[in-house]
Amino acid sequence: MNTQKNQDLTVGVIGGTGYAGGELCRLLLGHPNVARILPTSREEKDFEEIHPNLLGSGLSFLTTDRLAERAEELDVVFFSTPTGEAMRTARHYLDRGARVIDLSADFRFADPAAYERAHGPRHESPDLLREAVYGVTELYREHIAKARLVANPGCYAITAILGLTPLLQGPATGRRVSVHAVNGTTGAGVTPKRALMHAEVAGSMLAYSLGGHRHGPELEEVLGGLSGRPVEVDLNTTHGDFARGIHLQANVDVPAGTTRDDLVALYQEFYGAGAAGEYFVRVNARSPRGGLNVKDYSLYPSIAAVNGSNFCHLGLDVDTERNIAKVVAVTDNLVKGAAGSAIQNMNVMLGIDETTGLRHHAL
Amino acid sequence: MNTQKNQDLTVGVIGGTGYAGGELCRLLLGHPNVARILPTSREEKDFEEIHPNLLGSGLSFLTTDRLAERAEELDVVFFSTPTGEAMRTARHYLDRGARVIDLSADFRFADPAAYERAHGPRHESPDLLREAVYGVTELYREHIAKARLVANPGCYAITAILGLTPLLQGPATGRRVSVHAVNGTTGAGVTPKRALMHAEVAGSMLAYSLGGHRHGPELEEVLGGLSGRPVEVDLNTTHGDFARGIHLQANVDVPAGTTRDDLVALYQEFYGAGAAGEYFVRVNARSPRGGLNVKDYSLYPSIAAVNGSNFCHLGLDVDTERNIAKVVAVTDNLVKGAAGSAIQNMNVMLGIDETTGLRHHAL
Amino acid sequence: MNTQKNQDLTVGVIGGTGYAGGELCRLLLGHPNVARILPTSREEKDFEEIHPNLLGSGLSFLTTDRLAERAEELDVVFFSTPTGEAMRTARHYLDRGARVIDLSADFRFADPAAYERAHGPRHESPDLLREAVYGVTELYREHIAKARLVANPGCYAITAILGLTPLLQGPATGRRVSVHAVNGTTGAGVTPKRALMHAEVAGSMLAYSLGGHRHGPELEEVLGGLSGRPVEVDLNTTHGDFARGIHLQANVDVPAGTTRDDLVALYQEFYGAGAAGEYFVRVNARSPRGGLNVKDYSLYPSIAAVNGSNFCHLGLDVDTERNIAKVVAVTDNLVKGAAGSAIQNMNVMLGIDETTGLRHHAL
Amino acid sequence: MNTQKNQDLTVGVIGGTGYAGGELCRLLLGHPNVARILPTSREEKDFEEIHPNLLGSGLSFLTTDRLAERAEELDVVFFSTPTGEAMRTARHYLDRGARVIDLSADFRFADPAAYERAHGPRHESPDLLREAVYGVTELYREHIAKARLVANPGCYAITAILGLTPLLQGPATGRRVSVHAVNGTTGAGVTPKRALMHAEVAGSMLAYSLGGHRHGPELEEVLGGLSGRPVEVDLNTTHGDFARGIHLQANVDVPAGTTRDDLVALYQEFYGAGAAGEYFVRVNARSPRGGLNVKDYSLYPSIAAVNGSNFCHLGLDVDTERNIAKVVAVTDNLVKGAAGSAIQNMNVMLGIDETTGLRHHAL
């Protein structure tokens, strides 16, 4: 691969029938450096029936076997597959020179034992686990630029990590962070189940895995690493009555006297503001209006303002009676939480401008 | 008032144009002991345009002044008014023999100073404040039965109190409870604002008052009183993309070794099960299915299963890695969270069967 | 069966796992004359998991075979089953003295050939087909009162019939009526399919069967019979992003000069107004406000104003440039469109006040 | 203006606070030829509070007066204003060399009298009315390329015109077309009203203007002109429980024997298929599956598959019993129905590739 080749990329999308796979295809179709997209499906399926938003795109599915045979043609391979698939077949593509970006959980833990505790099966490629770089671009950019294999974070994880790192590297006290995240139903996958039917979720909310969610240990490991101290994540996850987006609220104890302005300044310093800052992370720095009797609905970000985009918006506040910092972090679970982030990592791995194909704003 | 009169009640609804006022009218229309409903409106308005679900009900608005003139006819008066109204005019009705149930915050605090800290204006009837009984029927039934004046709890408050009391009177450790509540947009009132327009909220969520919500101190006072120890409430409030219902999750530290089964047993003991138990509080005692790889969506209650009804459903779990109890409590914010609860209190105050007019299940 | 027994009814609900079956159970639980409800399920299922809104109701499923053995105990049997079931087994219950109300399509056509054209299989009980009475209570009340077997109408059909009959028996010209109906996703049944998953329908609409819907011929037969002339129904059906309710718009040519006031008067005369009128059919008679530049959103009914109730609300207008009458008819597809209507018919069949157990207003 | 200048465009957006104005800004931010965007607001407002999706974009509002002073700098001016504004001030910009694209109704009618009948006020620039070109790019491309002033169509109108023109220029019989369109609530504008609050629309639908909608005459004029014969449009408009998108169904009589395949072939011929065809109009040519008992939900397009994009998807069917063609046409009301279409017209007017800045697919 070389700079010239990076103008004319061939990209495989293994697991192209799910929501993240579809988003990879959609975003890659708009990426100026990508010439060929090869999505795979285990069963024979009509691409445009599965992804009607891409009607007329000309894409169609090939089998995973057929893609494996064409591994040498590929510059980049995305895995958008259930747990267990990438750890078995990523090596095939790496050995033939492709970069691999895995959107599943297979390469997210440094330690195979941690993987096994969270996901069950024995890890089959512990050497690759050691090599893989965790793909929060804003925080591990240097490593990603040199990586062959990137473990793209979970959608809850990346949203929480972007929202919490400045606080945890800064004024946070105590080891507990409380994270409540509400995800769109695309986050539950495409397998039909009665609990996920429209008639069941419309006008309601669906809490799940309150006894323990796999992103909890992932978050604790990454946040602990980033902040250099033990972090305990109290994680609640729920599906809301919307298809897309994560609305995440994280509460952390802070020293008495900490104000909303302090946090805004901290986050603006951390992520930069304006052109010099991180393009995809934006902090709502608006000043609150009014007094005791005014609810100001514009202080915190909403998923409507990021859906369809690769942005993470952050809002901040402090309960000054109880000295608790409140972070609101929102992303599109399928873009910044999955496919967009993965393409951002691809750009960094290939030395392309990081925002290529991803600059558009939300609707 | 006497038993016979309780078959033929005349009821005033002050502030009949809002959502809670409309729900009071709807439920009172189906109450077998209520003969006359007199809703008021400050401005001249067409009742059936404001409440199209009651098309053909024959109700119409009178002015508050007109109702005041007819105070002697009234058995019960509900205040469904902004803060500050009931503390000024409740006495007029009490003095003429009516029971008063106030759905605003005016009589929720024992101490006028606490009221003033949370709501601003100076309290104008501190003597009534001392007399008022806080209206969580399940927990203060004896007092309510003897009361002339009941302070109906806030919708977040009652949902949290029913969800947390067994834990706080029992195994909870530490003083902090973490409460995340998502409310339907009827909870934001009927005054048109751009932030609350359908086009703004559809497909999104709207966090608000994270720096401090007035139900926080209300909750701390009541939960502290019920549990006999200081309680700190870390409260996050958000509107979801639905019109009705509160989906509340409360997390509390518990001793190591506490299990989901322990909590289910605790709550079933506290609220009773079956015909002997509290009619309106029901605990999901289902056993979880499957292992590490199964998400069981049926363990926690959903607002779809309570909306339109006076039920509070409770679900329980424990994060056994971190020893955190998780309570999911759902109510219809306008029924159990407001009008239904108020009528339940009316029934108790008048010696009528508590469930009269309120037994119907959610859709 | 006798009047006394009608105070203490035993009712079977065959097909109790679907949405209409669940609604039958919910409404029957609140019916003062019903003592025992026996819902059936083909597979072994937990009643409260399937119908979490009925948590604590004490109901549980029996097998259809077990119910058949207890046929003699039953006063009424509801079939809430797929096409083909009731025509085979209704006789078993009729022969043992039960009234049968079939919510499927099995007994909706007078002519077996019409049934077979619309639904496929050969009809196995043509004699019962002749005996069955079509269950729009408001229009066939006398016949229903004497019937052993009632064919409950389809949800689209009953909504259209209540909305169109006054016009078709009155000023309508031409034979074509144009019917566009949007139904909640509960109308699509409980079988999980990808197209009906929440993530697919949220924020969208799902048109279906535009080439021909089975309620078309049903409507043409009934409306033709009621109006005494051939009626052609141009029917479009769509699922909307809501779980419940039918919002139906029907357009019919009318003579030049026909006004909105004419139609309101016609419908009020037909259905009666106030206490003397049909309890469950209500006409929005509000006068439009403002001039050319004012959109008056209060002229037409909305499903929000009927959901959960057995009401049908009707709104009327005329495009006076083109002489087209516009009818907006809304119902809850599971109540007036299914279970509520069925219980209304049960009441009539048993000589109970028709509104018993069904009087509550929408939320 | 010249080709080089077209690389570095300065664009005014008059009326930048509404939904269409916000979408113009969003899309222009991603347009490679646009260097400067100048949105205006009548009142002083914070751009990022009004359009939180553009947080960090650096845009801010100027007054309309200030923009008028800078008219000479402008290459293109978009009017996204209430009726009556553009007819008064478009000339100011035209005289100073800018192209003008008006998203309001001011220049949509050829005849001032028709404008006055539909919208009320006397037209103040009848000479410009004659000059203006109606902006359905696909049908009037040659004229738009030479125009100084384009009247961008209404959102209902463009969706119906793209959906109906092949039929009306082809096999349609009779003069009546029946159009039922459901629009997102962004189509109702940003002025807060109780009827448009989230709590009112959630889970419901809101019909309006059934007695006559202004897009009716606009449609009749354009469709009559395109088909060379009188067309009568029976138009029903409704808001659905979603923020964006138009789901439009149009029914037209066709000769006996017309099939779905005939229509698919007709539309593919009209719009072209694949790379040779119209980029933004795509026909669902999938063959229906299954028989009498199968509902195939994939035959008709959904707004979820176009929202956020400039695409119009078309689906076709025939009720072969009654010989009625059914067209389903979906667009994003704010993109193809407003801002996207306007930018497509800008591209054509300036000789830029028509799809520039608009190629992205829906989410």
Side-chain angles (χ1 to χ4, degrees), chain C residues 214 220 236 293 322 326, chain D residues 214 220 236 293 322:
Chain C
R214 282 139 174 210
E220 290 177 341
N236 279 34
N293 291 294
R322 297 167 193 80
K326 312 261 179 140
Chain D
R214 281 139 174 210
E220 290 178 341
N236 280 32
N293 291 295
R322 296 165 194 83

Side-chain angles (χ1 to χ4, degrees), chain D:
Chain D
M1 233 169 312
N2 52 45
T3 306
Q4 197 184 333
K5 201 174 169 196
N6 287 351
Q7 297 309 312
D8 188 29
L9 299 166
T10 301
V11 178
V13 176
I14 301 180
T17 56
Y19 291 121
E23 283 293 280
L24 281 166
C25 293
R26 173 177 77 86
L27 292 168
L28 290 167
L29 280 165
H31 195 295
N33 303 50
V34 172
R36 275 164 304 281
I37 306 166
L38 301 174
T40 78
S41 166
R42 274 169 306 177
E43 299 161 56
E44 208 168 308
K45 284 193 174 149
D46 175 3
F47 187 86
E48 297 187 348
E49 182 181 345
I50 298 293
H51 301 303
N53 57 320
L54 304 181
L55 183 66
S57 66
L59 295 186
S60 58
F61 290 121
L62 24 57
T63 63
T64 310
D65 286 353
R66 187 70 195 100
L67 188 75
E69 290 164 20
R70 297 173 61 178
E72 259 106 17
E73 300 171 38
L74 299 172
D75 297 288
V76 180
V77 178
F78 294 97
F79 280 86
S80 177
T81 46
T83 301
E85 173 78 11
M87 74 176 171
R88 280 191 294 273
T89 58
R91 193 185 311 273
H92 174 79
Y93 297 95
L94 290 169
D95 287 352
R96 281 152 190 81
R99 258 75 161 204
V100 170
I101 300 167
D102 177 24
L103 285 80
S104 85
D106 279 10
F107 297 108
R108 288 182 192 157
F109 289 86
D111 177 4
Y115 173 82
E116 288 155 23
R117 270 198 306 277
H119 295 278
R122 192 168 145 67
H123 204 288
E124 299 184 22
S125 299
D127 58 322
L128 292 180
L129 206 56
R130 278 188 297 276
E131 178 185 343
V133 175
Y134 192 74
V136 182
T137 328
E138 286 77 7
L139 301 176
Y140 300 102
R141 189 176 279 121
E142 307 298 304
H143 297 282
I144 292 166
K146 295 178 225 149
R148 290 194 311 162
L149 172 59
V150 164
N152 225 59
C155 54
Y156 288 120
I158 193 169
T159 311
I161 290 165
L162 292 171
L164 281 166
T165 300
L167 258 176
L168 292 179
Q169 291 190 352
T173 59
R175 65 199 299 268
R176 166 86 57 92
V177 301
S178 165
V179 175
H180 277 68
V182 184
N183 197 352
T185 48
T186 51
V190 296
T191 309
K193 293 176 192 161
R194 179 160 172 173
L196 297 169
M197 295 274 284
H198 180 270
E200 300 287 321
V201 183
S204 197
M205 299 184 76
L206 195 61
Y208 68 100
S209 299
L210 298 185
H213 187 288
R214 281 139 174 210
H215 288 192
E218 181 183 335
L219 261 175
E220 290 178 341
E221 178 168 321
V222 177
L223 290 174
L226 284 164
S227 64
R229 54 176 178 168
V231 173
E232 183 182 70
V233 175
D234 177 12
L235 179 61
N236 280 32
T237 52
T238 305
H239 288 299
D241 182 7
F242 43 87
R244 278 178 176 252
I246 288 186
H247 179 104
L248 183 146
Q249 299 179 7
N251 294 10
V252 185
D253 289 330
V254 285
T258 306
T259 66
R260 185 176 183 279
D261 287 348
D262 295 339
L263 296 191
V264 168
L266 171 73
Y267 276 70
Q268 286 190 315
E269 163 108 16
F270 191 92
Y271 287 117
E278 288 291 344
Y279 184 79
F280 293 120
V281 182
R282 309 229 165 158
V283 179
N284 181 336
R286 193 167 299 122
S287 292
R289 265 181 310 221
L292 193 61
N293 291 295
V294 177
K295 281 186 208 167
D296 185 341
Y297 290 107
S298 72
L299 290 181
Y300 317 116
S302 77
I303 50 181
V306 295
N307 269 351
S309 82
N310 198 48
F311 288 99
C312 175
H313 284 191
L314 299 176
L316 301 158
D317 216 331
V318 178
D319 177 341
T320 53
E321 288 281 311
R322 296 165 194 83
N323 300 307
I324 305 171
K326 312 262 180 141
V327 182
V328 181
V330 296
T331 60
D332 183 321
N333 63 308
L334 296 177
V335 185
K336 188 63 177 170
S341 212
I343 291 171
Q344 188 182 355
N345 286 328
M346 175 189 88
N347 289 341
V348 171
M349 292 165 91
L350 299 178
I352 302 169
D353 179 292
E354 184 176 322
T355 64
T356 309
L358 298 170
R359 296 181 68 88
H360 45 278
H361 290 268
L363 308 182

Side-chain angles (χ1 to χ4, degrees), chain C residues 59-89:
Chain C
L59 295 187
S60 58
F61 290 120
L62 25 56
T63 64
T64 310
D65 285 353
R66 186 73 193 97
L67 188 75
E69 291 164 20
R70 299 173 59 178
E72 258 107 17
E73 300 172 38
L74 299 172
D75 298 288
V76 181
V77 178
F78 295 96
F79 280 86
S80 177
T81 44
T83 301
E85 173 77 12
M87 71 176 173
R88 282 191 292 272
T89 58

